[in-house]
Amino acid sequence: MRIGIIGAGIGGLATALSLEAAGFRDITVHERTEEIRGLGVGLNLLPHAIRELTELGLRERVEALGVAPETLVYMNRFGQHIWSEPRGLGAGYRWPQLSVHRGRLQLALRDAVVERLGDVIRLGHRLVGAQSEADGSETVRFAAAADDGEVEARYDLVIGADGIHSALRALRYPQEGAPPWSGLTLWRGVADAPVLVDGRTMIMAGDGEQKFVAYPLGAPVDGRQRLNFIAERRGVGPFESLRDRRRGVGPFESLRDRADWNRSVDPAPIAALFSDWVFDGLDVPAIIANADEILEYPMVDRDALPQWTFGRTTLVGDAAHAMYPNGSNGGSQAILDARTLAFHLGAAMAADGRAAAADGGLTAIDTALAGYEQARRPAMTALLAGTRATGPERVMLLAAERAPQGFARIDDVIPRAEREEIANAYKRAAGFDPSILNERASLTVGAPA
């Protein structure tokens, strides 16, 4: 079977590795950029994603990239404790949670793809067209930078893993337009800072109007460590970028019709927004001011789709269900998509690789795509709605609504049972409730039930 994957980000590379593990070898990955540079900042891989990477034989190399956080703490904007919970192995999972640099993870997955599949990544290929053929195959066209023209390829299956601005999704939903902006602006960065608590703690502080998130990306060295952070503010427009300053272009003019800002900005005005956020052991403005670089993003997502699969094409990751970062779950869900798709495809081909499936006259590929979408799309539709309601971070919103000037006892504001249920409900929705995850069947084709 000839399989084409559009996009060499986390989702696309995880899809290639999952398909290879399921027995497929004729795989090509098309990436629009001319170089995989391993850019970005930090991300969290939750235990359900680490389970899948473990079963792909990648756990050790991913663990070497980052830190396994042991505690997650929520605070209000005054630094008062709202809720904390253990994470990873300490929470009863069989797999850890890992905080890693996105770029380093991407490069590690790229290297694994090359090791297992060879030279299958085509750079400088931007998808411009897709057409279903009479035999059920798909012809895809790319604007190719190296050839200064277009190239065509024909596949039995095409998988769109090309992110929130997916070209394949746009071909299927041409009227969708740009992702809707929530009104929040995010500034992401990595900084060398004093050790955060015990060196293995994630902190989320704030409310629905302003928030700061920080977690370690490396082990402490001489009382300091690398921290990933996200600063967030509602109702603040984009700041002047360093690039726009050089070009003499104003910030709003330069952003006209741009959906992803993703541009380097001066840290000083962002640090000023958090000037009084200095808590015990957490100096927010100092962390921001000390960042290597700050990248500015709008907080955007995509509306849920009624259908991911058209013919022999389907979507995974942000191309299918881009969501807000509430819950730190986007990258993990892309890996779950990849493994679920490969599982259904491998199982269907093993059951009937040549003839039509039993009911409805569908081929094995069509059966697999239907099974994949049934398994993932309703769950991701519900999860997307949950992230728009702020997911597990709802405890911070409730604390701000019920005690806007702070509190003496959090139990008088949000009873413990209510806080526990908010945390547990999100785990159930996202598929990483410990008891369910530890006991569910493997997504490795042919593994024992």
Side-chain angles (χ1 to χ4, degrees), residues 322-361:
M323 59 188 71
Y324 296 155
N326 302 327
S328 305
N329 205 23
S332 295
Q333 294 299 337
I335 293 170
L336 264 290
D337 287 347
R339 287 281 286 166
T340 304
L341 175 57
F343 171 79
H344 281 276
L345 194 61
M349 296 298 290
D352 190 357
R354 299 180 307 278
D359 295 319

Side-chain angles (χ1 to χ4, degrees), residues 19-291:
L19 290 168
E20 187 276 337
F24 300 95
R25 299 287 304 175
D26 192 352
I27 300 168
T28 305
V29 181
H30 298 269
E31 165 59 33
R32 67 177 296 163
T33 64
E34 296 185 49
E35 180 184 3
I36 298 176
R37 298 169 56 194
L39 301 176
V41 286
L43 59 77
N44 276 285
L45 295 173
L46 300 180
H48 52 352
I50 299 302
R51 174 178 181 175
E52 303 312 324
L53 294 175
T54 300
E55 296 188 13
L56 287 173
L58 297 169
R59 176 169 166 176
E60 288 187 1
R61 71 170 74 187
V62 174
E63 280 186 316
L65 300 178
V67 173
E70 297 175 352
T71 307
L72 170 61
V73 176
Y74 293 95
M75 302 186 297
N76 64 9
R77 63 170 53 231
F78 307 109
Q80 295 176 305
H81 181 279
I82 299 171
W83 172 250
S84 66
E85 61 181 60
R87 305 296 280 184
L89 300 176
Y93 294 100
R94 293 169 55 194
W95 303 271
Q97 175 175 326
L98 292 176
S99 300
V100 301
H101 188 282
R102 181 201 175 277
R104 295 183 68 196
L105 175 64
Q106 182 185 19
L107 293 177
L109 296 179
R110 178 206 61 186
D111 292 346
V113 168
V114 173
E115 291 167 11
R116 299 178 184 187
L117 287 167
D119 183 20
V120 300
I121 301 175
R122 303 288 176 263
L123 300 174
H125 279 198
R126 179 172 58 86
L127 182 71
V128 295
Q131 176 179 318
S132 299
E133 305 295 346
D135 64 357
S137 65
E138 298 283 340
T139 296
V140 285
R141 293 182 294 107
F142 301 91
D147 298 330
D148 196 25
E150 286 192 359
V151 296
E152 279 191 357
R154 181 176 289 197
Y155 296 110
D156 300 302
L157 172 62
V158 175
I159 302 164
D162 46 345
I164 191 170
H165 302 295
S166 168
L168 185 59
R169 176 173 174 144
L171 291 173
R172 302 315 186 199
Y173 294 92
Q175 305 304 315
E176 186 175 35
W181 182 35
S182 66
L184 290 162
T185 301
L186 306 179
W187 298 279
R188 297 175 180 258
V190 177
D192 179 69
V195 172
L196 190 62
V197 191
D198 57 0
R200 291 186 176 270
T201 294
M202 298 177 60
I203 287 180
M204 297 191 183
D207 49 46
E209 299 301 309
Q210 189 166 350
K211 185 175 72 177
F212 184 80
V213 178
Y215 53 85
L217 291 178
V221 177
D222 297 329
R224 302 183 71 83
Q225 68 184 150
R226 299 288 285 170
L227 294 182
N228 182 81
F229 70 84
I230 304 170
E232 176 183 311
R233 179 73 176 265
R234 184 179 300 279
V236 175
F239 288 104
E240 181 182 30
S241 77
L242 303 180
R243 180 176 56 201
D244 292 338
R245 183 184 301 167
R246 289 194 297 267
R247 294 171 54 212
V249 178
F252 289 94
E253 179 183 354
S254 69
L255 291 176
R256 188 175 299 141
D257 299 325
R258 286 181 57 184
D260 60 331
W261 304 346
N262 190 12
R263 59 197 197 124
S264 179
V265 297
D266 182 356
I270 295 100
L273 294 174
F274 292 82
S275 60
D276 57 348
W277 287 46
V278 181
F279 315 137
D280 184 22
L282 180 65
D283 189 333
V284 173
I287 293 173
I288 295 173
N290 198 41

Side-chain angles (χ1 to χ4, degrees), residues 21 51 55 339 343 347 440-449:
R51 174 178 181 175
E55 296 188 13
R339 287 281 286 166
F343 171 79
R440 76 156 167 79
S442 172
L443 293 175
T444 296
V445 177

